[in-house]
C-alpha cells in the first residue's frame, strides 16, 4: 500500500456518504488515508486556497462536481476551472447528472423491486427531483432512501447504467490514481 494521502472534495453530505460507502473501500488499497471535504458552503476563493494547500503538500486530490445541466462534461470542467484557476482538469470528476444518478445506477432489477421503485435501465439523466419522485412512500426522507440503496448497491451494475460512474471507475478505482 502506498503511504499517500488523498483528498476527495465533494459538494455535500449525500456525495460524501456515497463516496465513503462505495468508493473509499476500493481506494484504501492505494492510499493510506482518505479525507473528505464538503465544499458546498465555501466561496471559490476558499476552494482555490484549499487546493493550493493540497498541491503544496503533494497530496493527491479529486474534485467532484455535478454536471449542473452543462451541455457536456468538457463545458462543465471549463466552467469549474474558470472559477478555480489552480484546479487541474484531470483532477475533476463530473457526476452526470447529479449524485442521485449514481446512487440509482447501483440497483439491478431485483433490488429495485425489493425497494419498490421503478427499475431504470439508464440513470445518466436522473436529477434530485426525479430521485425524490422515485422514493417509496414508506421511506420518508432521501437519507433513508439513499441508505437502503447503498445496502443493495452493485458497482458492476452501476458501471452498466451510468456512463460517468463507469468513467470514474475506469479512471480511478482500477488504478487507484487521482
Amino acid at each position: 500500500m502506498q503511504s499517500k494521502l488523498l483528498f476527495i472534495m465533494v459538494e455535500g453530505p449525500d456525495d460524501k456518504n456515497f463516496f465513503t460507502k462505495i468508493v473509499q473501500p476500493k481506494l484504501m488499497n492505494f492510499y493510506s488515508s482518505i479525507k473528505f471535504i464538503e465544499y458546498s458552503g465555501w466561496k471559490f476563493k476558499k476552494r482555490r486556497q484549499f487546493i493550493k494547500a493540497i498541491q503544496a503538500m503533494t497530496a493527491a486530490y479529486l474534485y467532484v462536481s455535478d454536471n449542473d445541466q452543462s451541455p457536456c462534461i468538457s463545458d462543465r470542467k471549463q466552467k469549474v476551472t474558470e472559477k478555480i484557476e489552480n484546479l487541474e482538469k484531470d483532477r475533476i470528476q463530473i457526476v452526470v447528472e447529479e449524485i442521485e444518478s449514481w446512487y440509482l445506477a447501483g440497483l439491478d432489477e431485483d433490488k429495485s423491486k425489493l425497494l419498490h421503485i421503478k427499475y431504470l435501465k439508464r440513470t445518466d439523466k436522473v436529477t434530485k427531483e426525479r430521485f425524490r419522485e422515485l422514493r417509496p412512500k414508506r421511506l420518508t426522507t432521501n437519507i433513508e432512501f439513499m441508505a437502503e440503496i447503498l445496502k443493495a448497491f452493485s458497482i458492476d451494475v452501476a458501471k452498466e447504467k451510468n456512463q460517468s460512474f463507469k468513467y470514474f471507475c475506469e479512471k480511478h478505482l482500477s488504478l487507484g490514481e487521482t
Side-chain angles (χ1 to χ4, degrees), residues 14-77:
D14 296 336
D15 306 67
K16 181 181 176 183
N17 195 33
F18 181 88
F19 275 82
T20 300
K21 300 276 194 288
I22 303 302
V23 175
Q24 184 174 10
K26 300 292 183 192
L27 289 177
M28 288 308 294
N29 294 325
F30 305 100
Y31 297 95
S32 59
S33 182
I34 298 174
K35 305 283 185 205
F36 293 93
I37 308 299
E38 293 179 43
Y39 65 80
S40 64
W42 292 13
K43 298 206 181 297
F44 288 106
K45 180 180 179 182
K46 184 174 180 178
R47 294 180 206 183
R48 283 191 295 271
Q49 290 170 335
F50 191 80
I51 290 167
K52 194 178 280 188
I54 292 171
Q55 292 166 335
M57 294 169 54
T58 65
Y61 73 94
L62 183 62
Y63 185 94
V64 181
S65 176
D66 289 341
N67 191 45
D68 290 341
Q69 301 175 349
S70 289
C72 65
I73 291 171
S74 298
D75 179 72
R76 180 64 183 146
K77 283 186 176 187

Side-chain angles (χ1 to χ4, degrees), residues 96-142:
V96 179
E97 197 58 45
E98 297 174 318
I99 195 66
E100 289 80 1
S101 68
W102 282 17
Y103 274 89
L104 290 172
L107 297 176
D108 62 20
E109 202 163 354
D110 291 336
K111 300 292 184 193
S112 295
K113 284 179 187 175
L114 283 174
L115 288 173
H116 305 286
I117 64 168
K118 179 182 176 185
Y119 173 71
L120 303 175
K121 290 181 183 176
R122 301 289 311 164
T123 65
D124 304 283
K125 305 259 185 223
V126 171
T127 62
K128 287 173 181 31
E129 294 75 22
R130 179 72 174 125
F131 185 83
R132 271 188 238 116
E133 291 170 4
L134 290 168
R135 187 179 71 218
K137 300 249 187 273
R138 67 180 175 81
L139 301 172
T140 58
T141 67
N142 282 349

